[in-house]
Amino acid sequence: MRGLQALACFLCLWLPWLQCDEPASTGPEQVHLSYPGDPTSMTVTWTTFGQADSVVVFGPDPGAAFTRSARGQAMKFVDGGKLARTMFVHRVTLSGLLPGQRYAYRCGSPTGWSRAYLFQALLNGSDWSPRFAVFGDMGNVNPQSLPRLQRDTEMGLYDVILHVGDFAYDLHTDNARVGDSFLRKIEPVAALVPYMTCPGNHEQKYNFSNYRARFSMPGGTESLWYSWDVGPAHIISFSTEVYFFLEYGQDLVAEQFRWLVKDLQVANTPERRKERPWIITMGHRPMYCSNNDHDDCTQHESVVRQGLDPHRYGLEDLFYKYGVDLELWAHEHSYERLWPLYNYKVYNGSTKAPYTNPGAPVHVITGSAGCQEQLDPFVPEPREWSAVRIEDYGYTRMQIFNQTHLWLEQVSDDQKGKVVDGIWLIKQRPGAKAWQ
C-alpha cells in the first residue's frame, strides 16, 4: 500500500496534468492581513483544505508569549472549475489592540499552526504619516518586484500595501491552484502588513468568486468596493470591472456609483475634510494612458471616465466634483504619471511647481510589478497631459507626510531599486475648493 501511495505522489508531482486532489490538510497557508478600519483591530485570513477551527494566538512583541487568542469563522469555498476544488477560508479579527504596538501571532488550530509572524497595529487619529507600497498586475509567473517588496517590508518601510488589481494571472487558473501558489508567494509580505486590494479584470471568472472569497476587505460588499481612513487620508477602493463585465448585472454599476456618491459626500463634510483632507482612490483600469494598445484608457470616450452610454455613471466628473486629490491605477504594465488633469485639460499649479495647489486631480498608473504578460509599450510621442513614462518593472512608494504634503516615488526593480521618479503633491486647500 505504501508503495502505491508513493507512486501516486510521484506521478502527481511530475505529471501535474493528472490534476490529483490535495489531501485534506488542516495546516494553515496563504496567510495575509487586512485592515478592518479600526486601529485597535486587524483581520487575519488564511486557507486550509480540510475543516478546522479558526484561531489566532497573539501577544505584544518583544518578549511576551501568545497571551491572547481570538476566534473567527471558516467559509467553505468551492472553486468554479471542473474539479470543484474545495477549500476553507478562515477569517479572524483581532480586537483590543494598542495602536502602534507590535504584535507576534500565529494562526490555525490544534490540528496545525502557521509559523509566527509580526505586525504593527496602525496608529490612531490623523496626526501621523502612513507609508505605502502601491502596485498592480503582479502574477504568479514573473513577479519580478516581489523579492524587493519583501525586503522593503521586512525592513519596516511600509505600513500598508495597496495592490491595485490583477492577482496571480489568474486566481482561478488550473482549478484555482494558481491562486493558491500566488497567495503562498505573497505571504512573506502580506502576513506582515495589511494587504489592501481592489478587483481587476483578471479576477472576473465565476463572478469574481475567487477574489471575493480569498480577500477580507472592510465593508459589506465582498471586497468589490469599500473605503477606510488612515492618517490624514480617506482611501476609496472601487471596481472598474463592473463597467466591463455586465453579464454579472448592470445594476452593480449603479449600486457602486450610488455608494461612491454617498461615501464622497460624507468624506467632504467640513469636519471630516478638515481632519482627513486627502481623498485617494484606487481602481484598476485608468481613465487616461498613453500606452500603445487598445485598452479603454486609450479611447477618447473611456468607459471608466465617461460611464455607460449615454454618459451614465462616469467617474471623472464625480471625482472632480468631490475633490479627489490622487487617483491610483494599474492595468497598463508600465508606470505613467500625469499632470493634474480634468477633461483632457492640464491644470498645473504653476509652471515651476505643477503639483503645488493643482487645479485638478493627479493620476498615477503603476502596473509594472511583474507578470507573465511582460511590459506594455507606449505610443512614440507622449500626450500633452503625460508628465513621466517609465517602461521598467517596479512599484510605487507613497507617504502622506501631513495634511498638506504627500510624497510619491517610483522604484525600478530593473535598475536595482533605483528611485526613477518622485514628486511632492502639496495642497493647502482641501477638496474641490482647490480647483477654483
Side-chain angles (χ1 to χ4, degrees), residues 1 8 22 42 45-46 76 186 207 215 233 246 252 297 302 336 396 405 413:
M1 179 64 71
E22 294 87 353
M42 191 70 73
T45 303
W46 70 94
K76 182 179 180 180
I186 67 168
N207 194 15
F215 293 106
L246 297 177
L252 274 179
C297 52
S302 157
E336 186 166 16
T396 304
H405 287 64
D413 191 74

Side-chain angles (χ1 to χ4, degrees), residues 278-280 324-328 337-340 347 349 353-364 398-409 422-428 434-435:
W278 296 102
I279 295 182
I280 299 169
V324 171
D325 303 291
L326 177 63
E327 301 179 26
L328 301 171
R337 168 169 57 82
L338 310 187
W339 300 117
Y347 290 90
Y355 297 100
T356 297
N357 297 320
V362 174
H363 299 245
V364 172
M398 176 175 72
Q399 183 169 5
I400 308 170
F401 272 82
N402 52 40
Q403 296 191 343
T404 57
H405 287 64
L406 182 153
W407 173 254
L408 284 162
E409 65 183 24
I423 64 162
W424 281 105
L425 177 56
I426 301 172
K427 287 195 67 175
Q428 292 159 326
W435 310 153

Side-chain angles (χ1 to χ4, degrees), residues 96-145:
L97 304 178
L98 180 65
Q101 171 68 52
R102 284 172 61 84
Y103 290 89
Y105 76 97
R106 62 177 182 173
C107 59
S109 72
T111 60
W113 293 99
S114 72
R115 56 156 288 189
Y117 285 110
L118 296 174
F119 73 87
Q120 182 170 323
L122 296 186
L123 290 172
N124 202 359
S126 59
D127 191 20
W128 64 286
S129 304
R131 303 159 301 163
F132 305 80
V134 187
F135 56 87
D137 301 81
M138 187 162 68
N140 191 48
V141 175
N142 188 33
Q144 181 171 319
S145 299

